[in-house]
Amino acid sequence: MSFIDRHLGPREVETSHMLETLGYSSLSDLVDAVVPSSIRLEDELDLPEALTETEALAKLESYAQQNTVMAQMIGAGYYDCITPAVLRRNILENPGWYTSYTPYQPEISQGRLEALLNFQNVVMELTGLPVANASLLDEATAVAEAAVMMLRANRKVKNGFFAIDSRCLPQTLSVVRGRAEALGIDFKVTDFSDGLPEGDLYGVILAYPAHDGEVRDIKDLIDAAHERNALVTVTADLLALTLLKSPGEMGADVVVGNTQRFGLPLFFGGPHAAYMAVQSGMQRNLPGRLVGVSKDATGKPGYRLALQTREQHIRREKATSNICTAQALLAIVAGAYAVYHGPEGLREIANTLHTNAARVADALVDAGLKLVHENFFDTVCFEAKGRAKELVAAAAKAGINIRGIGEDRISISVGESHGEKTLAALVEALGGKLGEKTEREIPSELLRTDEYMQHPVFHLHRSETAMMRYLRQLSDKDLALDRTMIPLGSCTMKLNAASEMEPISWPEFATIHPLAPEEQTKGWRLLIDELSQWLVAITGYDAISLQPNSGASGEYAGLRAIRAYHESNGDTERDIVLIPMSAHGTNAASAALAGLSVAGVATAKDGAVDVDDLKAKIEKYGNRIAGIMITYPSTHGVFEDKVREVCTLVHEAGGQVYVDGANLNAQMGLAQPGKFGGDVSHLNLHKTFAIPHGGGGPGVGPVAVGKHLEKFLPGDGYTADPEGRLAGAPLPISQAMFGSAGVLPISWMYIAMSGARGLRSASEYAILNANYIARKLGEKYPVLYTGPDGLVAHECILDLRKLTDESGVTAEDVCKRLMDYGFHAPTLAFPVPGTLMVEPTESENLAELDRFIEAMSTIYDEIKHVASGAVSVEDSVLRNAPHTADVVSADTWERAYSRSEAAYPVSSLRANKYFPSVGRIDGAGGDRNFVCECPPMEAFDIEVK
């Protein structure tokens, strides 16, 4: 049996039954009726023949063997560390963790929310600040977010500039420059040796330690900035903060960095979880996700996303950032690493790194090299006049990569995995001999003296047995794809096959530093080049960048390319992006981030772009139009037959067409946005191309473009020119050249094993499954938007508004009740309030589809029971859902329905029942009484010894 046969849910006999239900004799007839002929591909995609799972793994292994595994001591934001096997096996390689969705439904997400709260608390404790988010995309973009956030949050200095430390990481300087220039924010790259620059300074960004390893006392600079009414962001190495005085103690307002060295492989640059912590009062300006603590219906503590959850959909272009999700899975690993080691374990690792770095420093000073900085954590920098390349080459010959800084300096970053043999070999290669001890210590005035990570969770799980059981306990609280279909519209929660996931842990991929010499990364580059060619062939464009590390980053990169294209043509007045009112909220937020204004375009009654309103907007804005952002198939779940007309109208007005690729799973092998009018698209590899969502990241959002936009694709952050001396040189939009490269093997495997026919089949079956659900549920829950013959694309919107009017039962009530049936809810209230958007994907079989249909049909009967007046909505099984095991097994029961109705509304649940660990959580109450720190164990009736 081929891979695609395993990937697709319905078997042949099931397919026939579903087609018969829909009134079609063949799958091709159904697809012909759904997909407009005006955009249909005539030829098969230009892809290699599909490989078997064994063949694909063998080919990928041949690529992996062309990478050179070295001891990586380059540093520059990426450090060798050890991923404990218990975390690799039980999180990174566990579908219970990697197939879960962003925890917008908190009652079925308590495990990953607790894990993310652990992450937040580690960050808060080590930075010395009271609020932290649940991760950002990477360190460089986190610094860029901080630069913009300080401008919003500073009420004393407006329209000023910010100064950024010249000793921040090179890729950070490049990313920040790109973000600031897009928004028209003034900034100055500054060497703070001589103090702060003159002028209206709204913010300061300091490196701690500096990129060359120096640790400085930055308190005087922080105090001086505050005297000038400036806010201060510190970029900090989180592991170093186990030893060094915390930025919060020194008065910092914001602290950012990454947590890669908390157990995350190098992954050729990503994905890694960045972090941001802020002073109290700034939390509503905090970008990204934030886990808070509230209570459920019984008063039991419960976690949920807080404050700004999905705020892009409300604020659109006024959102605090365009971040929709970040790096949840990697943040969970980093938090678990801290739980496993505890404060004493982290401190021991940090002390070992510093001691070993000091021993290297002593040995190489004795060998005649000049140490640049006396105070350091794990990175030592040496003067080597004209010898940098020679020394880098000598270390490489010994199997060790170090960093050359120009022609005259080298730096060496000691990692957790570097033992005596590696250290001795390095020193010997550079002309010295490693000593056993060192007298060097971090000066006492730089050391922290406070205790941290004192919560019991950081002290209870030292043995592997205890850690394994803790992780199982957490994952048991969640609903992920390993338990149930997740029918989320717009999010494509499809199979993440085990064979696709397997290669990401191979050392030949996972241990490669992103700044390793090209001759050591041939395998990675073969994979990346081939995957890029395949994605170009699938989309019909001419070039692609894999750098964007989320869908929102892909949007931003595409819009920046459009803006740069117009500027290169002298069309600097083109500053307006037309966006349909139904669009995903990040579209508008990304446009604002790219320095563009937004004008909404109305939606027609059939859910398509209102062409008459589009014409009116074109007439109104004329030469100011930079382009339009459309989603295809539309956000309403239909293939718009006027999409070519929409593209033509915008092109005739001089604009560019951005086609959001979020719904590409309905198009593969059937249509190509690059051929029916698109100039640029971002793709979601974590949706269409099988990379798992990971509870809210990692994401990969490559941006594909036509030939005329190719030169405006993102550049390499490490080698870009942050000072702006090279006019027109492309700046990066994220930290690593290939973004979240570590998960690219997943998409490579998916395409290699699918081939052109398999990808087309995936699209066809996504359409079949969606239409089957729409047809079976349409009489009870009207499908809001349909195309010809009442058909939908790969998702459908079920309209509950009439039922709500009749009964008072809301779409949210239905979401919570579905948990009692063992289902994750569809997408709630987007793009239309009072509705549910359902996307079953191609990977679900008929039995699972029918199980969902049965659940929704039974819930319909429950709603009608309320509407009849037999029970009030407040007393109904729907409003009181979900029901925990504690509730249904309580000694007393005084509800208007039976225990059996609460827990076992359909008979199949008696054989396979999932109980949420908490009841309905009070989100609004949690926001009014905001708490984002770990509650005491006693709150959960856990005995603490």
Side-chain angles (χ1 to χ4, degrees), residues 785-806:
Y785 297 109
T786 61
D789 301 321
L791 298 170
V792 298
H794 64 304
E795 59 192 9
C796 60
I797 298 176
L798 304 181
D799 192 351
L800 279 71
R801 291 175 295 183
K802 184 178 179 182
L803 287 170
T804 299
D805 290 341
E806 292 174 355

Side-chain angles (χ1 to χ4, degrees), residues 653-721:
Q656 295 284 286
V657 175
Y658 171 96
V659 181
D660 190 313
N663 293 340
L664 195 70
N665 204 48
Q667 291 182 70
M668 295 183 297
L670 301 176
Q672 295 173 306
K675 299 300 184 188
F676 62 66
D679 297 292
V680 54
S681 291
H682 94 269
L683 325 176
N684 291 104
L685 300 194
H686 53 290
K687 296 182 182 181
T688 307
F689 295 97
I691 291 176
H693 283 66
V700 184
V703 58
V705 297
K707 190 69 177 177
H708 61 295
L709 295 178
E710 182 176 4
K711 66 180 180 180
F712 304 112
L713 289 173
D716 185 343
Y718 189 76
T719 59
D721 175 28

